[in-house]
């Protein structure tokens, strides 16, 4: 019996030591999967925006609590708020300190984050976001058009690197087709600039051609160019014209024809592959290059369905949706039987996984995104079934830490990179593309987890004034130091604000805006940060800065924008292009062309690949209401006051 008493005594001693650490320092040793990750979140009690009391239940430190999740994942009401913490709460775990204010006590947090965001300040931030776009766009038009991108430091244009075909960082994206102008079309419309939108559309129609000897990545050409052409076409032909008069005199569906022309030039990527998974690159004149790589990433091959599906349904030609859907299903069928996970790089001929890493970032991100968004647009139940299964596997194998974001013992949750077959941790870094995931969680209503994950990425932003391309959560340091003006954190911030209406996210947006103005603005635009610590720059402004980053920042502060007020349901593509969710996109206009043996069956969406039909435009000028059970990211959900968003201790 003595050994039992000894063990019990040791256990009680350890618990006592932990209690002393919590009481004296507000911290304790980590017990979770990343014990060498000394950045603890130190969540403190947050007050309601009206200042009525702290948001969080009594009975211990506020980071131990959050709203309970009931059956089927529905959120239940949180317990009644507890007493206000005493004035002695301060130090590096406190909001005011962690977020850069250096203050103590709840008043500092209240002053900076919990109060209402004044309308005047909101208008100022909206105008700043618009000005940011205008400054980049005008300088592109003055110094770079008709080339693809702007070099904002030396005020020059940039096109494909003809001297070095292996420079894929440039050549995958730049096709010598005025990329930045094309990519920015719907941003002009959303900001209500009808005159410049009309001018830009006419420029695209009159000057842009895809008959170019350019080898581009199928994925990049699809999301940046094809998606933008389709979005602008829908805006022009919308009978409601919610953004103002964006009609083009004598418009004859030219943008839709251009989208068709580009898509036809991308189709050779889907030919001569044993799996149906497309080649990663095509030459717009000659097709797949003879020396083409047989390896492609999952996101690149499996994130084409939204744009290709829209094109098919507008034209009444199933070819494009068919090849994109076949690629998605081919990838899906290669997932691990044990974990349900997919890898990040696959051989298109053998179906062998070359890259076995499964995560939420580069190589996989938009694959998950488009499973859900394809269902929202087209209503095909198999897309939703695949997404739900994928999301469950993500929760089972990628999510580490305690079960609840702000409740229970252990470390706060984090999504890591694992081996697709075993679920074992492969490395200790996350990349900036993963910051899109909270926004995707908003789309499916998993708002509480989205709040928690967003806080992690925002904490990193607060430390550097940007998101490093890779961040090592174990070493607390960037692994890859550049920041190319990516939009993912801004996108999630915008979607979380639409879901919660909590002014905290307006403060986050203001912080991001001010960081971009301070660290990235140069003579002729906004430049990539080469090094997030010393803030050295690279002479490049990628097109997504105008098509996504500026757009989401603007919409965050423009509460009266037609996107939020028009009554039309909208969805954004992975490149941020706006698409009205129209009942017509849920119809299959090519059904009449199928013979009996060309109908659907259980194994394939279509038994036989249909022949490309003569170009036929489906009237898309009216927007219809969505099916009632569909979710929309901008649908205001019940406001969920954040009781757990805090920074990692010692970040500032």
């Amino acid at each position: 019996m003595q050994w039992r008493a000894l063990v019990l005594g040791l256990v009680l001693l350890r618990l006592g030591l932990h209690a002393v650490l919590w009481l004296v320092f507000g911290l304790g040793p980590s017990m979770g999967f990343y014990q060498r990750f000394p950045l603890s979140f130190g969540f403190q009690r947050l007050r309601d925006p009206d200042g009525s009391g702290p948001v969080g239940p009594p009975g211990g430190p506020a980071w131990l609590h959050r709203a309970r999740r009931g059956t089927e994942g529905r959120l239940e009401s949180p317990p009644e708020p507890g007493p206000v913490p005493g004035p002695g709460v301060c130090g590096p775990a406190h909001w005011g300190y962690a977020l850069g204010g250096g203050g103590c006590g709840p008043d500092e947090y209240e002053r900076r984050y919990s109060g209402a965001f004044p309308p005047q300040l909101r208008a100022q931030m909206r105008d700043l976001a618009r000005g940011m776009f205008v400054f980049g766009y005008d300088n592109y038009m003055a110094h770079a058009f008709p080339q693809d991108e702007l070099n904002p430091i030396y005020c020059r244009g940039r096109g494909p690197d003809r001297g070095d075909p292996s420079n894929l960082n440039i050549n995958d994206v730049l096709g010598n087709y005025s990329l930045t102008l094309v990519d920015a079309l719907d941003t002009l419309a959303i900001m209500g600039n009808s005159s410049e939108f009309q001018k830009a559309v006419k420029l695209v129609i009159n000057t842009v051609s895809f008959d170019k000897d350019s080898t581009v990545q199928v994925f990049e050409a699809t999301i940046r160019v094809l998606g933008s052409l389709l979005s602008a076409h829908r805006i022009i032909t919308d009978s409601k014209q919610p953004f103002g008069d964006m009609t083009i005199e004598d418009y004859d569906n030219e943008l839709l024809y251009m989208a068709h022309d580009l898509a036809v030039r991308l189709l050779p990527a889907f030919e001569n592959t044993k799996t149906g998974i497309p080649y990663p690159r095509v030459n717009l004149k000659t097709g797949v290059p003879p020396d083409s790589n047989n390896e492609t990433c999952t996101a690149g091959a499996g994130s084409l369905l939204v744009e290709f599906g829209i094109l098919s349904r507008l034209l009444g030609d199933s070819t494009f949706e068919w090849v994109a859907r076949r690629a998605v299903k081919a990838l899906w069928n290669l997932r691990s039987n044990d974990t349900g996970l997919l890898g990040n790089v696959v051989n298109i001929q053998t179906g062998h996984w070359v890259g076995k890493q499964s995560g939420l970032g580069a190589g996989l991100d938009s694959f998950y995104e488009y499973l859900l968004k394809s269902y929202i647009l087209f209503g095909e139940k198999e897309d939703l079934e695949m997404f739900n299964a994928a999301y469950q596997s993500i929760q089972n194998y990628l999510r580490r830490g305690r079960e609840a974001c702000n409740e229970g013992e252990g470390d706060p949750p984090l999504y890591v990179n694992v081996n697709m077959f075993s679920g074992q941790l492969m490395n200790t870094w996350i990349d900036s593309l993963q910051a899109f995931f909270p926004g995707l969680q908003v789309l499916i209503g998993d708002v509480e987890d989205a709040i928690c994950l967003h806080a992690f990425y925002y904490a990193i932003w607060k430390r550097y004034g940007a998101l490093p391309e890779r961040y090592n959560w174990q070493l607390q340091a960037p692994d890859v130091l550049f920041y190319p003006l990516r939009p993912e954190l801004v996108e999630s911030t915008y979607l979380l604000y639409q879901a919660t209406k909590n002014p905290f996210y307006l403060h986050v947006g203001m912080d991001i805006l001010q960081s971009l103005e301070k660290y990235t603005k140069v003579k002729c635009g906004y430049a990539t940060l080469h090094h997030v610590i010393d803030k050295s720059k690279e002479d490049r402004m990628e097109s997504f800065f105008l098509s996504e980053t500026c757009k989401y920042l603007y919409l965050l502060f423009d509460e009266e924008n037609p996107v939020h007020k028009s009554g039309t349901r909208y969805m954004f593509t992975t490149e941020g292009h706006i698409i009205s969710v129209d009942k017509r996109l849920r119809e299959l206009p090519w059904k009449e062309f199928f013979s009996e043996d060309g109908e659907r069956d259980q194994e394939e969406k279509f038994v036989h690949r249909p022949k490309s039909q003569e170009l036929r435009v489906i009237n898309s000028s009216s927007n219809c209401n969505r099916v009632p059970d569909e979710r929309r990211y901008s649908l205001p959900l019940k406001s969920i006051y954040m009781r757990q968003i805090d920074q990692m201790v010692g970040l500032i």
Side-chain angles (χ1 to χ4, degrees):
M1 298 298 292
Q2 290 183 349
W3 67 270
R4 293 185 179 177
L6 179 62
V7 170
L8 179 60
L10 289 173
V11 170
L12 291 175
L13 178 61
R14 182 171 184 177
L15 290 174
L17 288 172
H18 286 186
V20 170
L21 285 170
W22 282 115
L23 290 172
V24 177
F25 300 106
L27 50 84
S30 171
M31 301 295 289
F33 77 101
Y34 45 105
Q35 293 191 20
R36 292 184 59 197
F37 184 26
L39 296 175
S40 66
F41 288 83
F43 296 135
Q44 302 296 313
R45 293 184 189 273
L46 310 184
R47 286 175 173 261
D48 286 330
D50 61 5
S52 59
V55 184
W63 67 270
L64 290 172
H65 304 280
R66 72 163 191 170
R68 297 186 301 273
R69 192 169 297 278
T71 58
E72 300 180 0
R74 289 190 294 269
L75 297 178
E76 298 178 346
S77 299
E80 291 297 318
V84 179
V89 181
C90 64
H94 189 266
W95 265 101
Y97 184 96
L99 293 177
C104 289
D107 291 342
E108 177 68 16
Y109 168 76
E110 264 183 35
R111 183 180 66 80
R112 300 187 63 203
Y113 292 98
S114 287
F117 203 86
Q120 298 87 347
L121 182 58
R122 188 171 189 148
Q124 181 184 346
M125 292 300 105
R126 179 201 62 206
D127 293 344
L128 180 60
R130 182 196 286 119
M132 181 177 288
F133 171 83
V134 170
F135 185 68
Y137 177 84
D138 285 353
N139 274 288
Y140 165 78
M141 295 304 297
H143 302 290
F145 176 81
Q147 293 184 270
D148 288 307
E149 284 182 352
L150 170 67
N151 288 358
I153 296 176
Y154 288 102
C155 305
R156 293 195 291 247
R158 179 198 295 266
D161 187 350
R162 302 298 190 190
D164 183 9
S166 66
N167 186 1
L168 300 181
N169 184 46
I170 297 298
N171 294 329
D172 271 357
V173 178
L174 309 189
N176 195 21
Y177 37 41
S178 302
L179 173 63
T180 296
L181 175 63
V182 175
D183 213 0
L185 289 177
D186 66 310
T187 307
L188 288 166
I190 286 173
M191 292 185 178
N193 193 341
S194 58
S195 61
E196 191 61 35
F197 174 79
Q198 293 162 347
K199 176 183 175 182
V201 168
K202 292 175 183 177
L203 268 177
V204 169
I205 292 172
N206 294 328
T207 67
V208 174
S209 169
F210 302 119
D211 189 25
K212 300 291 178 67
D213 184 20
S214 298
T215 298
V216 296
Q217 192 183 84
V218 175
F219 170 72
E220 295 289 357
T222 298
I223 66 169
R224 299 201 196 201
V225 183
L226 181 61
S228 185
L229 293 172
L230 293 170
S231 175
H233 168 74
R234 301 269 292 173
I235 290 170
I236 294 167
T237 58
D238 185 348
S239 61
K240 297 179 181 178
Q241 290 297 298
F243 301 109
D245 184 8
M246 301 293 163
T247 58
I248 306 295
E249 186 177 359
D250 299 324
Y251 180 72
D252 191 24
N253 302 306
E254 287 92 345
L255 295 185
L256 184 60
Y257 281 86
M258 291 179 70
H260 177 259
D261 177 41
L262 175 60
V264 168
R265 295 173 186 274
L266 299 177
L267 280 181
F270 297 87
E271 300 171 0
N272 301 317
T273 77
K274 296 178 181 179
T275 61
I277 302 170
Y279 285 92
R281 298 171 185 86
V282 296
N283 183 284
L284 295 177
K285 267 186 177 291
T286 62
V288 178
D291 58 348
S292 183
N293 191 349
N294 284 331
E295 297 175 1
T296 190
C297 71
T298 303
S303 305
L304 309 172
L305 183 53
V306 166
E307 289 83 3
F308 274 46
I310 293 171
L311 181 63
S312 276
R313 293 174 190 235
L314 292 181
L315 298 178
D317 180 350
S318 64
T319 304
F320 307 102
E321 181 172 342
W322 188 87
V323 295
R325 190 171 291 280
R326 180 181 64 171
V328 171
K329 295 180 71 172
L331 288 164
W332 183 249
N333 290 333
L334 293 175
R335 70 194 187 280
S336 168
N337 292 327
D338 296 324
T339 65
L341 297 173
L342 295 88
N344 58 346
V345 180
V346 67
N347 186 297
I348 66 172
Q349 301 297 351
T350 65
H352 173 71
W353 287 105
V354 180
K356 300 177 179 62
Q357 176 175 299
S358 190
L360 298 179
L364 278 157
D365 50 352
S366 55
F367 177 80
Y368 303 127
E369 178 185 1
Y370 268 22
L371 290 178
L372 180 61
K373 290 185 175 180
S374 295
Y375 169 71
I376 292 172
L377 277 181
F378 309 133
E380 301 290 348
K381 290 185 178 180
E382 65 176 350
D383 296 333
L384 182 61
E385 291 168 356
M386 286 188 287
F387 174 79
N388 284 336
Y391 192 73
Q392 188 60 55
S393 294
I394 289 169
Q395 297 302 312
N396 289 342
Y397 294 99
L398 272 60
R399 191 180 189 274
R400 304 295 174 87
R402 58 177 175 253
E403 181 178 353
C405 172
N406 201 29
E407 182 178 61
E409 298 181 356
D411 294 296
L414 181 70
Y415 291 86
V416 299
N417 300 317
V418 304
N419 182 287
M420 64 171 289
F421 295 110
S422 67
Q424 296 299 308
L425 187 70
M426 288 192 70
N427 51 57
T428 59
W429 52 259
I430 54 96
D431 66 52
S432 64
L433 292 172
Q434 292 179 230
F436 92 99
F437 198 67
L440 190 65
Q441 291 181 305
V442 169
L443 286 177
I444 61 170
D446 199 356
V447 179
E448 286 271 308
D449 277 358
I451 287 171
C452 186
L453 188 58
H454 175 274
F456 174 75
Y457 294 107
Y458 178 50
I460 300 173
W461 182 283
K462 283 296 295 183
R463 183 173 188 175
Y464 302 106
L467 273 186
E469 192 71 353
R470 284 186 184 176
Y471 182 82
N472 192 306
W473 45 259
Q474 187 175 58
L475 302 177
Q476 303 177 66
D479 277 353
V480 180
L481 289 153
F482 71 91
Y483 169 65
L485 309 175
R486 290 199 188 279
E488 283 76 18
L489 179 61
V490 184
E491 177 186 8
S492 289
T493 302
Y494 165 63
L495 296 176
L496 271 165
Y497 177 72
Q498 289 300 315
T500 67
K501 297 302 181 183
N502 194 293
F504 169 77
Y505 295 106
L506 300 177
H507 287 278
V508 174
M510 181 170 66
D511 191 11
I512 293 172
L513 260 174
Q514 291 171 341
S515 294
L516 291 171
E517 282 288 317
K518 181 178 180 180
Y519 298 125
T520 72
K521 190 173 185 178
V522 292
K523 181 179 179 181
C524 292
Y526 295 84
T528 292
L529 286 182
H530 175 72
H531 197 292
V532 296
I533 298 175
D534 68 22
K535 302 301 187 291
S536 57
K537 299 172 180 63
E538 295 180 17
D539 196 13
R540 187 177 188 186
M541 187 180 81
E542 292 219 39
S543 67
F544 54 65
F545 177 69
L546 299 182
S547 70
E548 296 184 82
T549 308
C550 293
K551 179 184 295 164
Y552 288 128
L553 283 169
Y554 180 80
L555 286 172
L556 174 64
F557 296 107
D558 189 17
E559 187 73 8
E560 301 303 315
N561 194 278
V563 172
H564 310 133
K565 297 292 186 180
S566 68
T568 300
R569 308 298 188 180
Y570 290 104
M571 189 194 78
F572 290 102
T573 70
T574 195
E575 183 71 8
H577 297 305
I578 195 165
I579 298 293
S580 58
V581 183
D582 192 327
K583 185 178 179 181
R584 294 176 184 273
L585 292 179
R586 294 199 155 208
E587 298 171 352
L588 298 175
W590 52 80
K591 270 186 173 181
E592 61 190 274
F593 296 111
F594 281 99
S595 60
E596 289 185 5
D597 63 347
E599 298 283 337
R600 308 179 197 180
D601 73 358
Q602 294 180 351
E603 297 299 321
E604 293 289 341
K605 191 67 185 173
F606 306 106
V607 177
H608 303 299
R609 173 177 172 173
K611 295 180 179 179
S612 178
Q613 303 297 330
E614 192 173 315
L615 184 63
R616 188 166 72 97
V617 178
I618 305 301
N619 181 9
S620 60
S621 61
S622 63
N623 291 302
C624 304
N625 291 329
R626 299 168 76 179
V627 178
D629 64 318
E630 293 174 358
R631 289 188 174 93
R632 170 181 169 233
Y633 64 83
S634 58
L635 181 65
L637 305 177
K638 182 179 179 182
S639 179
I640 303 173
Y641 297 131
M642 298 166 296
R643 295 175 292 101
Q644 50 74 36
I645 301 183
D646 206 343
Q647 301 305 319
M648 293 176 275
V649 173
L651 277 182
I652 304 301

